Amino acid sequence: MNKLSYGLLSFLSTYPQTGYDLMIRLNQFWHTNHSAIYPLLSELEEKGYVKHTLKEQQGKPDKKIYCITEYGIKTLKEWLMSTTEDAVIKDESMLKIYCFGILDKEIVEKILDEIEFNATNHLNKYVAALENFKGMDCPLNMQFFGAYLLVQKAISDAKLKVKWCQWVRSLYTEDGNLFDNKFMDFLDLF
Amino acid sequence: MNKLSYGLLSFLSTYPQTGYDLMIRLNQFWHTNHSAIYPLLSELEEKGYVKHTLKEQQGKPDKKIYCITEYGIKTLKEWLMSTTEDAVIKDESMLKIYCFGILDKEIVEKILDEIEFNATNHLNKYVAALENFKGMDCPLNMQFFGAYLLVQKAISDAKLKVKWCQWVRSLYTEDGNLFDNKFMDFLDLF
DNA sequence: TATTTCATGTAAGCCGTTACATGATTCT
DNA sequence: AGAATCATGTAACGGCTTACATGAAATA
């Protein structure tokens, strides 16, 4: 049982889904892709954590709709109670930011623009997802509560990133030097 | 040239360091470990991006102090100008949060406590790092500017995480149910 | 007309993790 | 006394990524 396996069980804990669904939804919060998911689902089924039913389709491969078993839920809950490992984060933009000290303002601007652009895209995506939740007639029910929390988190993360980009820009003077107020802090509002 | 290679070049762009230093510093912003770094540094040296000088020590292996070459800087800057790939994030706590809808309040509390505890630890670590910057006599100079920006970012990220945990707790009533105000938003202050 | 979406799957190869290996010094 | 820190390195194994493979329907 590797970490991705628990990711699949987690996302199957709310409602049955296909491997394709899992690829789309899980990937929003855990970097992965379909060729890692499909074989793992088969393995999880062999071990009895999940099972699938077929739904016939025309023009496309038949859907395999997976649902979690009692044993899968039990295993999932054991993992949920166990110590959480450190997040694995590999973000090229962090590396690029580290280099800002040796770069001219124009290049810094370009990289900042890209980071802010990506953050804004993320923000829009998650804001749209939030709209979907708000469009539902039901309240914060069991099935969507976790996803709702994650979307709220993603939105605030994205907003913070945009703010941070703007803060970094504010550290430069118009002629491309750094203001020499020594140590300005980001977001004292916290 | 894989991503970690650019990470090494990035962190060598400011000042010469050993593989051990790189392991410590880079690991704060890019998940890695020494056994990935040492062989890569040798490769980078073979290819002419970095070179090292030996510093003898007693009781420990001699230090290999790596510095980046002109060619390394050129290569680094090309990468800095190229499109940034999406961050790879694999964070178990995100998966656990997804499961909150199927969990009792006590288990949610336990997981939230762990997340908040880890975030607070991170926060303290980065606040200490910030103190180091503020203790320096020099202003925001070239060598430390990037690291300073990253630390500022890490601090605000950690604070946001703590706030988010507190917000989630506020969604539960004392008897362990969810408040039914439908859709409360996290941090409207942005 | 071309690309994206839906929907599944396999195979090769790289990258990185875990473990092994050494050893003095410092901290708890 | 035992663990952590400093400091380098190698080897094996596993997991993930990239690419290959198919094909209808919808979108741009």
Side-chain angles (χ1 to χ4, degrees):
Chain A
M1 290 294 282
N2 59 20
K3 291 179 188 176
L4 180 55
S5 300
Y6 289 109
L8 294 170
L9 293 187
S10 296
F11 273 67
L12 287 173
S13 74
T14 48
Y15 43 87
Q17 291 171 75
T18 66
Y20 190 83
D21 293 332
L22 286 163
M23 185 262 291
I24 300 285
R25 304 215 172 96
L26 187 54
N27 194 43
Q28 297 185 315
F29 305 105
W30 182 278
H31 186 91
T32 187
N33 56 51
H34 77 274
S35 50
I37 288 175
Y38 289 128
L40 254 196
L41 281 170
S42 300
E43 264 185 58
L44 291 175
E45 185 155 35
E46 263 180 55
K47 293 176 186 162
Y49 300 115
V50 301
K51 59 185 179 202
H52 80 271
T53 52
L54 273 181
K55 191 181 171 183
E56 287 177 44
Q57 296 197 131
Q58 63 266 51
K60 299 170 193 173
D62 290 346
K63 272 187 182 179
K64 285 186 172 181
I65 299 169
Y66 284 90
C67 67
I68 193 166
T69 62
E70 282 300 313
Y71 178 51
I73 290 279
K74 187 176 153 277
T75 310
L76 176 64
K77 287 198 172 169
E78 278 162 13
W79 169 75
L80 283 162
M81 293 301 293
S82 71
T83 316
T84 310
E85 303 218 3
D86 278 340
V88 172
I89 300 177
K90 298 183 179 181
D91 185 347
E92 283 191 327
S93 63
M94 297 297 104
L95 304 177
K96 292 190 174 182
I97 290 162
Y98 184 86
C99 300
F100 277 11
I102 62 153
L103 297 176
D104 295 332
K105 191 194 176 188
E106 307 99 67
I107 302 183
V108 168
E109 285 282 356
K110 188 193 169 287
I111 296 170
L112 277 180
D113 286 346
E114 199 192 5
I115 294 172
E116 190 176 343
F117 179 76
N118 290 335
T120 306
N121 280 345
H122 266 108
L123 180 58
N124 292 335
K125 206 177 72 181
Y126 289 113
V127 165
L130 187 60
E131 292 306 316
N132 283 338
F133 285 119
K134 298 203 175 182
M136 299 187 313
D137 47 351
C138 56
L140 283 177
N141 67 33
M142 294 312 158
Q143 273 166 52
F144 301 108
F145 183 57
Y148 179 76
L149 296 177
L150 287 176
V151 166
Q152 288 279 356
K153 189 169 182 308
I155 287 174
S156 60
D157 284 345
K159 284 183 176 174
L160 187 65
K161 207 174 220 174
V162 171
K163 287 260 176 198
W164 181 87
C165 288
Q166 291 162 355
W167 172 71
V168 175
R169 283 201 198 88
S170 78
L171 297 177
Y172 286 85
T173 60
E174 264 182 52
D175 49 316
N177 294 311
L178 288 175
F179 276 111
D180 209 10
N181 344 6
K182 285 194 96 176
F183 300 105
M184 287 181 57
D185 277 329
F186 173 51
L187 277 197
D188 271 330
L189 52 126
F190 280 118
Chain B
M1 290 293 282
N2 58 21
K3 292 179 189 176
L4 181 55
S5 300
Y6 290 109
L8 294 169
L9 293 186
S10 296
F11 274 66
L12 287 173
S13 73
T14 47
Y15 44 87
Q17 292 170 75
T18 66
Y20 191 83
D21 293 332
L22 286 163
M23 184 263 290
I24 300 285
R25 303 212 172 98
L26 187 54
N27 195 43
Q28 296 185 315
F29 305 105
W30 183 279
H31 186 90
T32 187
N33 55 52
H34 77 273
S35 49
I37 288 174
Y38 289 128
L40 254 196
L41 281 170
S42 300
E43 264 184 60
L44 291 175
E45 185 156 37
E46 263 179 57
K47 292 176 185 163
Y49 301 115
V50 301
K51 59 186 179 197
H52 80 270
T53 52
L54 273 180
K55 191 180 171 185
E56 286 178 46
Q57 297 197 128
Q58 63 266 50
K60 299 170 193 173
D62 291 345
K63 272 187 182 177
K64 285 186 173 181
I65 299 168
Y66 285 90
C67 66
I68 194 166
T69 62
E70 283 299 314
Y71 178 50
I73 288 280
K74 185 176 156 277
T75 310
L76 176 63
K77 288 198 171 169
E78 277 163 14
W79 169 75
L80 283 162
M81 293 300 292
S82 72
T83 316
T84 310
E85 303 218 2
D86 278 340
V88 172
I89 300 179
K90 299 184 178 181
D91 185 348
E92 284 191 327
S93 63
M94 296 298 104
L95 304 177
K96 292 190 173 182
I97 290 162
Y98 184 86
C99 300
F100 277 11
I102 63 152
L103 297 176
D104 295 332
K105 190 193 177 188
E106 307 99 65
I107 302 183
V108 168
E109 285 282 356
K110 188 192 168 284
I111 296 171
L112 276 180
D113 287 347
E114 200 192 3
I115 294 173
E116 189 176 344
F117 179 76
N118 290 335
T120 306
N121 280 347
H122 267 109
L123 180 58
N124 291 336
K125 206 177 73 182
Y126 289 113
V127 165
L130 187 61
E131 291 305 316
N132 284 337
F133 285 118
K134 299 203 174 180
M136 299 186 315
D137 47 353
C138 55
L140 284 178
N141 66 35
M142 294 312 157
Q143 271 165 54
F144 301 107
F145 183 57
Y148 178 77
L149 296 178
L150 288 176
V151 166
Q152 288 280 355
K153 188 168 183 311
I155 287 173
S156 59
D157 283 345
K159 284 183 176 174
L160 186 65
K161 207 175 221 176
V162 171
K163 287 261 176 196
W164 181 88
C165 287
Q166 291 162 355
W167 172 72
V168 176
R169 284 201 198 89
S170 79
L171 297 177
Y172 286 86
T173 60
E174 264 184 48
D175 49 317
N177 295 311
L178 288 175
F179 275 112
D180 208 9
N181 344 5
K182 287 194 94 177
F183 300 106
M184 288 181 57
D185 277 329
F186 173 51
L187 277 198
D188 272 330
L189 52 123
F190 280 117

